[in-house]
């Protein structure tokens, strides 16, 4: 029947005629219309799809990462390891020959040449995925500008000042060098440098009197770069001339000094360095340093224009590593084996950029008792606060016994939250639905979540109540655009007006469809795959969500030194024209999305 | 009520399927296949079916072969196809029994389906005691329904090969019953894709 199957295309040309016949007899045929989902994100595949005609887009989030045409096959990862973060969507009307997994495995076992090709493809695939990530980050670092590094403010002395004056200026300003101004630079004067090492050599070794003027002694061949030059060029210049500092100019004026240590600090804010630091941490103090470095990493990546979703992925991973390592350092082995540390809320969704309130909990195995439990959990929370994760105002933390409980009690709470919803219950349910396992036995969380989804009937009343908070805050936009213009000087709370309605609305839709995803963007795309959201709307929504998160990050990075996020206010007049227009468009879209939610969940009745 | 289990179906094979015990207890007794056809079980599947006969007059033609394919979601299960040959000199019951087990209560899909069902009913009626009760989906009328909505003064070309060409589906390989059933299944899935 599948005479149309083309056996001349690798790897199938490796098969013997008898094996070809066996394969042909085992084929099913998939018929997919345009825009239909062939293989879901995380969906396990029971067969290898070989495109006979048509075109298939491999998507990650909203991006098309690969296109499969006739004779291409997918997806070995879904077939063998599962959990691919990609979905496959027919871009045209498409026919696929379906090779069942058992037949493929059997043929690969029998026919070594065929098996080798399949295995090689699979290995290539995995390594391509792995290197893509680290490339993006390295590229970002090579693009970093000097502007992103710390510059020491310049300390000037006049040419007539003595060596003693120069030393005093260094001490007073805690600087390791001074700049010597010989005449007015605007009228042919020059600027030189005198470092601490120079002073030592001149006074101690050469025996110059401390009151001799610095003017003739300073070095005037300055190595300088513009502030907008690449950090990489600074590194090269320093290496070439074996110096440890450069003079940085901005529009011809001296802006400051770039020290080698500060330059290396920026370049070493590489996620792999931090990850290594976390893995090797032998005490909570080592982790504190790593946690501090994450803030620098965010700044560098954000400064070089790396996409926020990518930064969020990276930061989520590093934060979870820190939590896991800290828990492993503090908890006795039997506690580790009989409990599951979970993070909830934005951390669970993997959307945390700067350090927000800690939302975490501990699920204990039923029947397990740990004598030192309260000390461990108390220390855990205390250390996180030290690392700069502010305590949760709602006390959703492991140190609170309410959130460190056996599985059975979690189930009881879930039952209450569902069946006796009040405001706190709704919120607890919402953040618990976003929970992700960080350390210990993650089957405990899986069981609790399974219980949650199992208890949810198709109860419209419940979902109506659950979704309602998405409309709780006003989104200034739409018809009142004019009013918005007049209120321009008022700051908009970007979290309440934009981010929260999207996050919670998408969460409600996802919960209604019993989805396992926790990340908002992933949920949006999964909802599009299920046909709940129109693909175009999903794309706009995901874009708006990314844009608003970027704005929020920008506000946070600018306003905080410690890297904690407290301020969510965006002042529209402080935005550029382009940003402001896009911001207004996003808010209009959020408004539209709220209308969709109101309609979907009958919130107006 | 005994129901026949769906034995693994061998492509094109001539298999000695269990012959249903002919009911002699009286006109009120039910044939076992009847329960199969009327079962309430929802498999979510459909069956594309096509036949070959000696002519196109359903009253006088002799059935030569029948091919049936199950459709599950967007997939045509070509690996489990059923192809049966009928010969005037051989009893039709064993093959018919396998066919009814394969079809069960699933909706039938076909091109010129009325003819196929009429041919089968000539065999089914006397053995089971009723005509095939399955829901029928005629792909040419699905196609016509889609085409006649478009403005234009031309008659709709309803030949199967023309439909395949127009829908950008691969042409039939040969014109046996199996190719016909596959073509009907593809046309059906293209015009009525399963809802996600």
């Amino acid at each position: 029947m599948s005479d149309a199957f083309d056996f001349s295309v690798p790897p199938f040309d490796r098969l013997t005629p008898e094996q070809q016949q066996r394969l042909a007899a085992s084929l099913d045929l998939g018929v997919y219309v345009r825009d239909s989902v062939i293989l879901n994100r995380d969906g396990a595949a029971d067969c290898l799809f070989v495109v006979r005609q048509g075109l298939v887009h491999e998507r990650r989030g909203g991006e098309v990462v690969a296109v499969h045409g006739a004779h291409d096959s997918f997806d070995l990862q879904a077939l063998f390891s599962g959990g691919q973060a990609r979905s496959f969507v027919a871009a045209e009307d498409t026919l696929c020959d379906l090779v069942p997994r058992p037949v493929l495995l059997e043929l690969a076992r029998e026919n070594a040449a065929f098996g080798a090709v399949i295995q090689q493809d699979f290995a290539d695939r995995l390594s391509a995925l792995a290197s893509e990530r680290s490339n993006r980050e390295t590229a970002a670092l090579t693009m970093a500008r000097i502007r992103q590094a710390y510059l020491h403010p310049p300390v000037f002395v006049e040419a007539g000042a003595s060596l003693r004056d120069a030393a005093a200026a260094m001490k007073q300003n805690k600087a390791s060098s001074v700049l010597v101004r010989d005449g007015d630079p605007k009228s042919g004067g020059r600027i030189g440098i005198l470092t601490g090492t120079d002073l030592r050599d001149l006074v101690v070794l050469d025996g110059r009197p401390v009151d001799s003027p610095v003017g003739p002694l300073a070095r005037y061949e300055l190595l300088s770069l513009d502030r907008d030059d690449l950090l990489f060029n600074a590194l090269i210049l320093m290496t070439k001339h074996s110096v440890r500092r450069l003079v940085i100019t901005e529009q011809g004026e001296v802006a400051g000094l770039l020290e080698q240590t500060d330059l290396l600090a920026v370049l070493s804010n590489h996620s792999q360095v931090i990850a290594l630091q976390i893995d090797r941490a032998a005490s909570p103090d080592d982790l504190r340093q790593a946690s501090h470095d994450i803030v620098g990493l965010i700044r560098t990546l954000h400064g070089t224009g790396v996409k926020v979703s990518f930064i969020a992925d990276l930061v989520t991973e590093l934060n979870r590593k820190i939590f896991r390592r800290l828990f492993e350092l503090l908890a006795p082995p039997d506690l580790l084996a009989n409990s599951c540390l979970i993070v909830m809320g934005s951390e669970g969704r993997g959307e945390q950029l700067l350090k927000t309130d800690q939302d975490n909990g501990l699920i204990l195995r039923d029947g397990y008792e740990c004598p030192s439990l309260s000390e461990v959990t108390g220390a855990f929370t205390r250390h996180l606060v030290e690392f700069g994760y502010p305590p949760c105002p709602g006390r959703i933390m492991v140190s609170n016994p309410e959130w460190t409980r056996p599985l059975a009690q979690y189930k009881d709470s879930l039952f209450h939250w569902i069946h006796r919803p009040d405001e706190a219950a709704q919120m607890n349910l919402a953040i618990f639905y976003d929970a992700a396992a960080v350390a210990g036995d993650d089957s405990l969380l899986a069981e609790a979540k399974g219980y949650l989804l199992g208890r949810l009937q198709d109860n419209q009343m419940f979902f109506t109540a659950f979704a309602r908070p998405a409309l709780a805050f006003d989104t200034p936009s739409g018809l009142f655009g004019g009013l918005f213009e007049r209120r321009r000087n008022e700051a908009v709370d970007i979290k309440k007006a934009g981010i929260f309605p999207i996050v919670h609305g998408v969460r409600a839709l996802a919960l209604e469809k019993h989805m396992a995803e926790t990340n908002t963007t992933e949920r949006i795309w999964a909802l599009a795959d299920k046909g709940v959201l129109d693909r175009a709307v999903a794309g706009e929504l995901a874009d708006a969500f990314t844009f608003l998160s970027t704005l929020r990050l920008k506000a946070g990075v600018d306003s905080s030194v410690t890297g904690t996020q407290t301020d969510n206010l965006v002042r529209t007049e402080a935005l550029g024209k382009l940003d402001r227009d896009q911001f207004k468009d996003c808010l209009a879209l959020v408004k539209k999305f709220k209308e969709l939610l109101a309609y979907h969940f009958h919130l107006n009745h | 009520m005994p129901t026949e289990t769906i034995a693994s179906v061998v492509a094109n094979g001539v298999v000695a399927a269990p012959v249903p015990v002919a009911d002699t207890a009286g006109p009120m007794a039910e044939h076992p296949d009847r329960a199969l056809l009327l079962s309430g079980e929802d498999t979510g599947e459909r069956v594309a079916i096509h036949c070959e006969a000696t002519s196109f007059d359903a009253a006088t033609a002799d059935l030569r072969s029948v091919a049936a394919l199950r459709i599950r979601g967007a997939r045509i299960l070509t690996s489990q196809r059923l192809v049966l040959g009928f010969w005037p000199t051989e009893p039709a019951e064993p093959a018919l029994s396998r066919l009814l087990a394969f079809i069960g209560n699933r909706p039938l899909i076909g091109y010129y389906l009325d003819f196929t069902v009429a041919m089968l009913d000539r065999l089914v009626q006397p053995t089971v005691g009723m005509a095939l009760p399955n829901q029928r989906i005629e792909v040419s009328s699905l196609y016509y329904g889609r085409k006649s909505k478009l403005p234009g003064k031309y008659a709709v070309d309803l030949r199967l090969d023309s439909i395949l060409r127009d829908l950008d589906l691969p042409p039939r390989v040969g014109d046996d019953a199996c190719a016909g059933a596959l073509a009907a299944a593809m046309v059906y899935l293209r015009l009525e894709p399963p809802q996600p």
Side-chain angles (χ1 to χ4, degrees):
Chain A
M1 168 133 339
S2 295
D3 312 314
F5 193 82
D6 190 348
F7 281 103
S8 66
V9 179
F12 302 105
D13 57 344
R14 305 283 201 284
L15 297 174
T16 65
E18 183 273 329
Q19 288 168 335
Q20 293 188 355
Q21 220 169 23
R22 192 141 37 102
L23 182 78
S26 72
L27 291 176
D28 287 338
L29 184 67
V31 182
Y32 304 97
V33 290
R34 214 183 123 142
D35 287 337
S36 61
V37 179
I38 299 176
L39 186 58
N40 253 319
R41 170 203 326 279
D42 289 330
D46 55 349
C47 57
L48 182 74
F49 296 77
V50 184
V51 180
R52 190 194 287 189
Q53 72 177 50
L55 205 62
V56 176
H57 279 173
E58 180 177 341
R59 292 168 180 273
R60 184 170 43 216
E63 267 174 83
V64 175
V65 289
V67 176
H68 303 277
H71 302 316
D72 290 341
S73 52
F74 58 87
D75 178 74
L76 289 167
Q77 198 192 350
L79 204 54
F80 294 126
S81 52
Q84 81 284 2
R86 295 155 295 128
S87 58
F88 293 82
V89 180
E92 292 173 3
D93 289 342
T94 297
L95 292 182
C96 290
D97 287 306
L98 314 177
V99 186
R101 188 170 187 268
V103 175
L104 195 71
L105 290 179
E106 186 186 300
L107 291 175
R109 213 168 24 240
E110 281 175 28
N111 185 327
F114 178 71
V117 176
I118 297 237
Q119 201 164 28
Q120 189 55 46
D121 283 354
F122 185 44
D124 288 351
R125 193 64 216 257
L126 285 186
S127 69
L129 283 174
S131 68
E132 179 191 10
R133 247 196 61 166
S134 95
N135 282 348
R136 272 167 95 173
E137 202 184 331
T138 314
L141 285 172
T142 53
M143 292 300 291
R145 309 261 160 195
I146 292 174
R147 191 172 288 285
Q148 288 164 241
Y150 176 75
L151 290 187
H152 293 269
V155 178
F156 284 104
V157 294
E158 296 301 325
S162 64
L163 287 176
R164 187 202 301 277
D165 294 338
M170 281 188 210
K171 185 173 162 77
Q172 190 191 339
N173 293 293
K174 296 198 180 77
S176 59
S177 61
V178 287
L179 294 176
V180 179
R181 207 186 324 244
D182 189 12
D184 186 0
K186 287 188 184 99
S187 52
R190 49 183 189 163
I191 289 179
I193 192 166
L194 189 78
T195 65
T197 318
D198 293 340
L199 268 183
R200 184 191 68 201
D201 293 353
L202 289 167
V203 177
V204 180
L205 296 181
D206 300 353
R208 300 220 178 224
V210 291
D211 50 5
S212 47
V214 293
L217 300 172
R219 287 172 292 131
Y220 292 93
E221 322 75 61
L222 289 185
L223 294 172
S224 72
L225 283 174
D226 191 80
R227 204 167 180 178
D228 282 320
D229 223 314
L230 293 180
L231 211 44
F232 225 71
N233 290 343
L235 183 64
I236 292 170
L237 202 61
M238 282 185 195
T239 317
K240 199 163 138 195
H241 296 275
S242 2
V243 294
R244 278 179 301 170
R245 56 183 71 75
L246 295 175
V247 174
I248 303 304
T249 57
E250 190 168 19
Q251 295 174 336
E253 300 274 323
V254 173
L257 290 165
L258 175 66
E259 301 269 349
Q260 194 178 30
T261 46
D262 298 313
L263 179 147
L264 291 179
V266 173
L267 293 182
S268 68
N269 273 331
H270 196 280
S271 68
Q272 282 164 6
V273 178
I274 300 179
L276 209 64
Q277 230 176 334
I278 297 172
D279 287 340
R280 291 192 183 154
S283 72
D285 278 345
D286 299 345
L287 285 173
R288 186 208 322 266
Q289 184 52 41
S291 156
H292 178 77
D293 291 347
I294 294 179
V295 183
L297 176 70
I298 299 173
R299 266 181 234 277
T300 312
L301 293 179
H302 179 62
T304 36
V306 175
K307 280 200 198 159
V308 164
S309 58
F310 173 65
I311 302 180
D313 285 354
L314 208 63
V315 171
T316 300
E317 196 182 308
L318 291 176
N319 272 338
R320 288 188 187 170
K321 252 183 192 300
I322 289 187
F323 290 3
R324 181 183 315 138
R325 188 73 198 137
L326 180 62
F327 192 63
E328 283 168 1
L329 288 173
L330 296 173
D334 60 323
L335 176 60
L336 211 53
N338 286 301
S339 68
C340 177
L341 179 69
I342 57 175
V343 292
M344 292 171 278
S346 65
E347 275 173 50
R349 291 195 305 274
E351 282 154 18
Q352 190 197 32
L353 289 163
L354 295 168
K355 290 169 185 166
T356 47
D357 308 342
Q358 25 174 321
D359 286 335
N360 44 41
L362 195 65
I363 307 177
L364 301 168
R365 200 182 301 284
D366 287 331
Y368 169 74
E369 296 271 348
C370 176
S372 60
L373 186 65
S374 61
E375 286 106 80
V376 172
T377 56
F380 185 79
T381 300
R382 203 174 55 244
H383 279 298
L384 285 187
V385 173
E386 270 174 37
F387 293 173
Y389 302 90
C392 172
R395 301 200 55 243
I396 301 170
M397 297 182 288
V398 288
S399 58
N400 179 352
E402 285 279 298
W403 290 94
T404 295
R405 282 184 302 182
L407 181 60
Q409 285 185 31
Y410 263 97
K411 287 183 181 171
D412 283 351
S413 306
L414 286 168
F415 186 87
H416 280 279
W417 295 340
I418 294 171
H419 294 282
R420 269 172 242 153
D422 56 42
E423 208 171 304
Q426 296 278 0
M427 196 191 79
N428 288 342
L429 198 60
I431 66 161
F432 187 80
Y433 180 45
D434 294 344
V438 168
D441 182 359
D442 49 12
S443 70
L444 290 168
L445 176 64
E447 196 182 331
K449 275 207 183 182
Y451 177 83
L452 164 65
L453 294 180
R455 295 274 5 154
L456 289 175
Q457 314 91 336
D458 289 329
N459 179 348
Q460 193 62 49
M461 289 285 283
F462 168 78
F463 286 108
T464 302
F466 185 77
R468 193 175 296 282
L471 307 191
F473 305 111
D474 182 36
T475 302
S477 166
L479 277 178
F480 299 101
L483 186 63
F484 186 41
E485 284 298 317
R486 254 174 282 132
R487 293 201 319 210
R488 174 181 285 189
N489 291 332
E490 259 175 56
V492 177
D493 186 322
I494 193 169
K495 190 177 174 194
K496 285 182 181 169
I499 294 177
F500 177 74
I502 298 183
V503 168
H504 191 70
V506 168
R507 172 160 50 204
L509 289 170
L511 186 63
E512 190 189 36
K513 297 285 171 241
H514 292 199
M515 287 181 177
E517 282 87 359
T518 57
N519 181 275
T520 299
T521 314
E522 277 174 22
R523 279 175 179 166
I524 291 176
W525 288 111
L527 286 168
D529 287 352
K530 282 214 156 67
V532 181
L533 290 176
D534 187 70
R535 201 162 269 285
V537 173
E540 285 178 348
L541 204 57
D543 284 348
F545 180 67
T546 309
F547 178 76
L548 293 173
S549 310
T550 311
L551 274 189
R552 183 169 175 226
L553 171 67
K554 225 181 259 175
V557 166
D558 295 346
S559 74
S560 92
V561 188
T562 50
T564 51
Q565 182 110 39
T566 43
D567 190 6
N568 291 310
L569 296 181
V570 169
R571 283 162 189 84
T572 40
E573 84 275 18
L575 298 174
K577 163 92 178 121
L578 270 179
D579 273 2
R580 191 161 61 223
D581 286 352
Q582 206 178 347
F583 184 50
K584 280 201 282 190
D585 287 349
C586 283
L587 291 185
L589 188 82
V590 171
K591 196 133 186 146
K592 230 170 75 185
F593 180 59
K594 282 173 154 183
E595 280 162 20
L596 186 148
L597 288 174
Y599 174 76
H600 185 98
F601 290 111
H602 309 292
L603 298 182
N604 294 330
H605 302 298
Chain B
M1 177 100 11
T3 51
E4 197 174 319
T5 50
I6 301 167
S8 66
V9 176
V10 184
N12 265 327
V14 182
V15 171
V19 181
V21 184
D23 233 309
T24 50
M28 294 307 288
E30 287 194 351
H31 190 277
D33 285 343
R34 205 183 159 101
L36 216 59
L37 292 171
L38 294 174
S39 113
E41 184 199 5
D42 182 16
T43 56
E45 296 178 343
R46 278 142 222 281
V47 169
I49 194 162
H50 201 79
C51 75
E52 277 183 298
T54 51
S55 84
F56 284 119
D57 180 356
T60 58
D62 280 333
L63 193 60
R64 278 285 167 265
S65 71
V66 176
L69 290 169
R70 283 194 186 150
I71 300 174
R72 185 184 301 151
R75 294 184 182 184
I76 305 170
L77 306 182
T78 47
S79 56
Q80 305 170 23
R81 62 186 175 270
L82 180 71
V83 182
L84 298 164
F86 290 88
W87 292 99
T89 52
E90 285 174 22
E93 279 75 16
L96 190 66
S97 194
R98 285 181 59 200
L99 183 65
L100 294 183
F102 189 81
I103 295 173
N105 65 350
R106 296 168 181 80
L108 297 178
I109 288 161
Y111 178 80
Y112 198 10
L113 183 61
D114 281 352
F115 175 73
T116 304
V117 173
M119 289 303 296
L120 289 175
D121 275 345
R122 274 174 48 198
L123 299 171
V124 173
Q125 186 82 52
T127 25
V128 186
M130 64 176 199
L132 284 173
N134 307 52
Q135 186 200 340
R136 300 182 202 176
I137 301 167
E138 171 62 49
V139 293
S140 63
S141 84
L142 285 181
Y143 180 74
Y144 184 83
R146 145 106 54 125
K147 278 288 168 187
S148 58
K149 282 192 201 126
L150 301 173
K153 57 188 172 185
Y154 303 106
V156 181
D157 185 350
L158 288 179
R159 286 172 295 175
L160 182 52
D161 291 327
S162 308
I163 296 177
L164 289 176
R165 201 177 322 117
D166 185 48
L167 293 178
D168 198 22
L169 289 166
R172 279 192 286 172
V173 181
D175 65 346
D176 56 356
C178 203
L182 179 63
M186 289 192 295
V187 171
Y188 169 74
L189 283 177
R190 183 131 302 171
L191 295 177
E192 297 271 298
Q195 293 307 309

